[in-house]
Amino acid sequence: DRWLTCRSLPPGALERITDTVADRVRIPWFAGAVKVNVSLVPPLVLLPVLLHVAALHFLLGLVILTSLPAMVLWYYYLTHKRKERTLFFLSLGLFSLGYMYYVFLQEVVPRGHVGYSQVVALTCGLILMLAALSRAKKDPGYLPIPTNNEKSLHQDLPNKSVRGSSNGLHSVTTSGAAGSRVVNGEAKGYSRISAEEPEGVKRDWCTKCQLVKPARAGHCRLCGRCVRRLDHHCVWINSCVGEQNHQAFILALSFFMLTAVYGITLTLHTICRGRTPFVALFYCPGAYSDYSSALSFTCVWYCAIVTAGMGYILLIQLLNISYNVTEREARLALRDNTGRRLLGGLVIDTGQYNRGFLCNWGHFLSLGSSPPQRSAEDIV
């Protein structure tokens, strides 16, 4: 009624309407109606529609392929500002992979210019990427949530001896029995405060999880958990990237880059024969001669845009690993003006854990090899 009479909605009305609609979207099932996450629906519907519309004309393709990244960035900004977890980006990524693979088999392979071995190689790359992605979706290294008894034992701990910390929380300096060990400048473990640790190793009390965090651990505001060696919360996997899944995350990105570039190359060699892939991407006269070629060319450009974005993420990750710095530490260093920009600002070197290129990569490759064990004497 308010919309028809051009009256403004009361505060919070739109959010309540959205929540009600989301709650009513259910699929009938034997054990009862199953609720469908609304964020899964837009990619499944909009992506094929937009790509098919973009294949109708060059100008339509230019407008849609330009507006798609803008819409995705806007939605990311909206959810990040509200501190909301969403399956939109994970759904968009997985459905994009499946749909691009379907278009490749349906439109490109029947032309006869792609061999059987090339299809097998592309399929294997896709399977390896999904396997690495599945591993990256697992436990990133969550710190165990303390029980009520453990919380009561430590409810006064932060007040005993507190000093400022660079990440905005408080560092606990109470001495105790050694419950952790230091490897390459990092504290392994989460339970006790050691008097034998170096001065550079700081332990912070997390007021939300009610536990003592080891060095380089951080609290994710989206997951609501503390993660060992927290790098960042990745919306594309809808999970944190930490000590236990950082290697799988890099592996998934690498397989994606190799598979995407290989698929783009095969498609361009098929629809723009006689031209190199880079030239064909910008100049392919016969791309819109028929609808099949136009759809394939549109999907190639969509893949190229996504691959460029993922390539930038992979580049930043590789540089951070080379300097043994996490995304979280880089943001804190920029905020506190304690790091120095290198390589044109692509990497922020905090200097705290940097032990040289080979040592840094050796440390990264050993992440998660010996997860800390929780003993019966642990305080937290």
Side-chain angles (χ1 to χ4, degrees):
D1 293 338
R2 289 177 176 267
W3 178 69
L4 292 175
T5 57
C6 297
R7 289 184 297 169
S8 61
L9 291 173
L14 188 59
E15 287 77 6
R16 290 194 298 270
I17 294 173
T18 305
D19 294 339
T20 303
V21 172
D23 183 68
R24 297 298 187 270
V25 179
R26 296 175 182 267
I27 297 178
W29 200 247
F30 299 103
V34 179
K35 185 177 179 181
V36 178
N37 195 313
V38 180
S39 61
L40 294 174
V41 179
L44 304 182
V45 177
L46 292 179
L47 183 64
V49 172
L50 291 177
L51 289 179
H52 278 276
V53 172
L56 294 176
H57 194 272
F58 169 75
L59 293 179
L60 284 174
L62 183 63
V63 172
I64 290 177
L65 292 176
T66 303
S67 59
L68 263 179
M71 289 190 296
V72 172
L73 290 175
W74 170 80
Y75 188 71
Y76 169 77
Y77 172 77
L78 185 64
T79 55
H80 184 74
K81 184 179 180 180
R82 295 181 178 179
K83 302 178 183 179
E84 297 177 353
R85 294 190 67 178
T86 175
L87 292 174
F88 173 83
F89 299 98
L90 178 61
S91 173
L92 177 62
L94 292 177
F95 185 68
S96 296
L97 288 173
Y99 191 70
M100 294 303 106
Y101 186 69
Y102 167 78
V103 171
F104 179 80
L105 295 180
Q106 192 74 17
E107 305 293 343
V108 179
V109 174
R111 293 173 178 264
H113 301 295
V114 178
Y116 177 76
S117 60
Q118 294 172 318
V119 176
V120 171
L122 186 69
T123 305
C124 290
L126 185 62
I127 293 174
L128 290 174
M129 192 277 295
L130 291 176
L133 182 63
S134 175
R135 174 62 187 87
K137 281 283 296 174
K138 294 182 179 179
D139 181 14
Y142 292 124
L143 293 177
I145 299 177
T147 62
N148 292 332
N149 293 334
E150 291 170 338
K151 288 181 180 180
S152 62
L153 287 174
H154 280 78
Q155 60 184 354
D156 296 327
L157 179 61
N159 299 325
K160 291 183 178 180
S161 178
V162 181
R163 58 188 171 90
S165 174
S166 60
N167 60 5
L169 298 173
H170 295 291
S171 296
V172 182
T173 56
T174 308
S175 62
S180 62
R181 56 191 179 87
V182 178
V183 178
N184 195 22
E186 294 189 39
K188 308 296 285 185
Y190 52 84
S191 58
R192 309 197 65 174
I193 305 167
S194 174
E196 300 176 357
E197 288 180 348
E199 289 295 330
V201 178
K202 298 180 179 180
R203 289 179 170 272
D204 297 329
W205 174 263
C206 180
T207 57
K208 297 184 180 295
C209 296
Q210 294 294 296
L211 53 79
V212 180
K213 299 183 302 181
R216 309 192 79 177
H219 182 87
C220 177
R221 63 181 185 176
L222 297 178
C223 295
R225 296 283 299 275
C226 285
V227 181
R228 290 192 299 269
R229 197 182 180 276
L230 175 63
D231 189 84
H232 69 288
H233 181 94
C234 181
V235 296
W236 295 105
I237 64 174
N238 194 33
S239 178
C240 290
V241 176
E243 183 178 276
Q244 297 295 321
N245 68 341
H246 202 168
Q247 296 174 353
F249 179 72
I250 296 297
L251 200 60
L253 280 177
S254 302
F255 279 129
F256 171 80
M257 291 295 298
L258 293 174
T259 305
V261 171
Y262 187 59
I264 290 172
T265 302
L266 291 178
T267 304
L268 289 177
H269 275 314
T270 301
I271 62 178
C272 301
R273 300 192 60 80
R275 289 181 173 83
T276 62
F278 183 79
V279 173
L281 190 62
F282 294 95
Y283 182 70
C284 185
Y288 286 87
S289 59
D290 59 274
Y291 188 77
S292 176
S293 299
L295 180 61
S296 301
F297 189 71
T298 302
C299 290
V300 162
W301 258 106
Y302 175 73
C303 288
I305 294 172
V306 175
T307 304
M310 294 301 171
Y312 176 78
I313 295 175
L314 179 60
L315 175 63
I316 297 300
Q317 286 288 313
L318 295 179
L319 291 176
N320 286 344
I321 294 171
S322 301
Y323 285 89
N324 201 0
V325 62
T326 63
E327 280 291 316
R328 174 177 173 271
E329 291 166 350
R331 290 196 304 267
L332 294 175
L334 284 177
R335 185 194 68 184
D336 300 333
N337 197 24
T338 57
R340 58 194 183 101
R341 295 175 179 269
L342 299 175
L343 303 177
L346 290 177
V347 64
I348 307 299
D349 182 20
T350 62
Q352 188 174 4
Y353 301 104
N354 189 359
R355 300 295 182 269
F357 180 83
L358 294 180
C359 290
N360 292 340
W361 271 96
H363 167 68
F364 173 76
L365 295 176
S366 65
L367 286 179
S369 57
S370 56
Q373 301 294 326
R374 192 177 187 183
S375 65
E377 298 179 355
D378 287 344
I379 297 176
V380 178

